[in-house]
């Protein structure tokens, strides 16, 4: 059985929709494929339902206009933790010096609530990992594999009309718009960044 990135992206979108059933204010996930292979030391490198729920906390914070992180998104503050707890995530320790309350885990009630979703996503992730591991050295997997990054390449700053910004791989932004939760307008890469990346 092989799970290609589009199939895995569909499973991620379905899992996100399952979270939205319990948290209707959660905005839609603009580009689920951007989570595949994404790594972040502050949010956890491994893609899992727990990681997806962590990202959903950021989505709820954006929808509410709550600033839940600082230090370029690395430090997760107590406002992040309060929303995380609402959504079924716990943090048992004191905040980490550099990432704050980012290392959250599913509480027993959330594990029970989302059990079918977790199992379905785990199967898709396992199949995707097996399909990826089955690649031979003769398979071409693009620039991300050549440069040792599964995130898809160099990230540039994308901005929206309200002044917020995100770091994104241009090819991911080209696949579909990523919409700002604050002003509901798409992020765009300023012309300066585009010309600098081309040179």
């Amino acid at each position: 059985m092989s799970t290609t990135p589009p199939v895995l992206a569909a499973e991620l979108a379905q899992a996100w929709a399952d979270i939205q059933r319990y948290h209707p204010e959660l905005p839609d996930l603009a580009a689920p494929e951007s989570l595949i292979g994404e790594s972040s030391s502050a949010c956890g490198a491994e893609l899992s339902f727990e990681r997806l729920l962590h990202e959903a906390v950021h989505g709820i914070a954006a929808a509410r206009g709550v600033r839940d992180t600082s230090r370029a998104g690395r430090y997760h503050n107590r406002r992040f933790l309060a929303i995380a707890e609402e959504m079924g995530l716990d943090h048992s320790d004191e905040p980490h010096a550099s990432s704050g309350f980012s290392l959250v885990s599913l509480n027993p009630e959330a594990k029970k609530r989302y059990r079918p979703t977790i199992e379905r996503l785990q199967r898709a992730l396992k199949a995707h990992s097996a399909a990826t591991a089955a690649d031979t050295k003769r398979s071409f997997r693009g620039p991300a594999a050549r440069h040792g990054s599964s995130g898809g390449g160099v990230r540039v700053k994308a901005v929206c009309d309200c002044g917020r910004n995100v770091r994104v791989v241009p090819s991911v932004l080209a696949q579909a718009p990523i919409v700002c939760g604050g002003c509901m307008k798409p992020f765009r890469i300023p012309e300066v960044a585009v010309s600098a990346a081309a040179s």
Side-chain angles (χ1 to χ4, degrees), residues 1-119:
M1 176 182 174
S2 100
T3 299
T4 60
V7 172
L8 181 53
E11 289 292 348
L12 286 166
Q14 181 58 55
W16 192 266
D18 291 349
I19 298 168
Q20 286 177 311
R21 279 197 327 230
Y22 295 98
H23 303 280
E25 68 184 306
L26 178 63
D28 291 339
L29 183 60
E33 58 277 355
S34 68
L35 293 172
I36 300 170
E38 184 73 21
S39 75
S40 163
S41 59
C43 300
E46 186 178 342
L47 184 54
S48 64
F49 181 76
E50 196 167 79
R51 167 82 190 286
L52 193 65
L53 197 56
H54 175 125
E55 295 300 332
V57 172
H58 292 303
I60 293 280
R64 293 179 182 174
V66 171
R67 185 170 176 177
D68 62 339
T69 62
S70 58
R71 300 182 197 164
R74 289 185 306 276
Y75 190 87
H76 293 57
N77 59 35
R78 289 192 185 276
R79 291 181 292 274
F80 170 86
L81 182 59
I83 298 170
E85 288 172 346
E86 281 179 44
M87 296 182 73
L89 293 166
D90 289 335
H91 188 282
S92 57
D93 302 329
E94 288 298 309
H96 186 273
S98 62
S99 62
F101 295 100
S102 68
L103 301 176
V104 288
S105 59
L106 282 166
N107 67 30
E109 184 182 323
K111 282 181 186 176
K112 184 177 178 182
R113 176 188 305 148
Y114 293 112
R115 179 174 287 127
T117 304
I118 293 167
E119 290 171 355

Side-chain angles (χ1 to χ4, degrees), residues 27 58-59 61-65 160 162 164 178-185 187:
H58 292 303
R64 293 179 182 174
C160 70
C162 69
R164 298 178 72 214
I178 298 175
V179 178
C180 173
C183 68
M184 302 310 291
K185 295 198 176 165
F187 283 96

